[in-house]
Amino acid sequence: MNRAVVSILVFALLILTIFSPFAALGTLMLVLLASAFVSAFWNVAQAVVGNPKQPSKN
């Protein structure tokens, strides 16, 4: 669940960076935003559904 929260926070920070008045390379940042959106959505979906691959604790 912490991974999903961190993904959402990083996604929010990327949005703030893109819309800031000093953002250079805006097109590259939009590509980064799209990939962050997919990653955040995937992490939230895994947190909701449950991750079947839990690492074994030895």
Side-chain angles (χ1 to χ4, degrees):
M1 190 65 167
N2 289 336
R3 188 174 177 183
V5 172
V6 168
S7 294
I8 292 171
L9 289 175
V10 168
F11 184 69
L13 287 174
L14 283 172
I15 290 174
L16 287 175
T17 304
I18 288 172
F19 292 119
S20 70
F22 302 109
L25 302 171
T27 306
L28 183 62
M29 293 296 287
L30 287 175
V31 171
L32 181 65
L33 179 68
S35 64
F37 176 73
V38 170
S39 176
F41 178 75
W42 185 257
N43 287 330
V44 170
Q46 281 184 345
V48 170
V49 173
N51 193 0
K53 294 182 183 179
Q54 295 294 330
S56 61
K57 297 180 180 177
N58 292 336

